[in-house]
Amino acid sequence: MAHDIVFFLAAADETAAATRLRGPGEAFESVTCPFIEPDSAIAEWDMYFQKPSAEAPPVDQLFG
């Protein structure tokens, strides 16, 4: 099941914890990523961090 995920940067752990139930709202600049599939997203993000690239990894590598 796909989910919308909001990424934001909080300055301190206490600040981030305060957003847990309500989200970042207007207090933080954020980026919304719609239709994230949790199972494949983790594998794809790992590939970006291992070898940074502006393009998505090839499908055979992603599903390998």
Side-chain angles (χ1 to χ4, degrees):
M1 174 184 228
H3 301 278
D4 290 352
I5 296 178
V6 178
F7 292 96
F8 67 97
L9 181 62
D13 289 343
E14 298 82 18
T15 308
T19 66
R20 183 175 159 262
L21 297 177
R22 61 176 174 72
E26 298 290 325
F28 299 98
E29 185 174 344
S30 61
V31 175
T32 302
C33 299
F35 308 112
I36 298 291
E37 290 285 345
D39 294 339
S40 61
I42 293 170
E44 183 175 350
W45 295 342
D46 281 345
M47 284 185 247
Y48 282 120
F49 288 119
Q50 289 173 5
K51 185 178 177 185
S53 173
E55 298 179 14
V59 174
D60 59 325
Q61 182 183 7
L62 181 61
F63 293 113

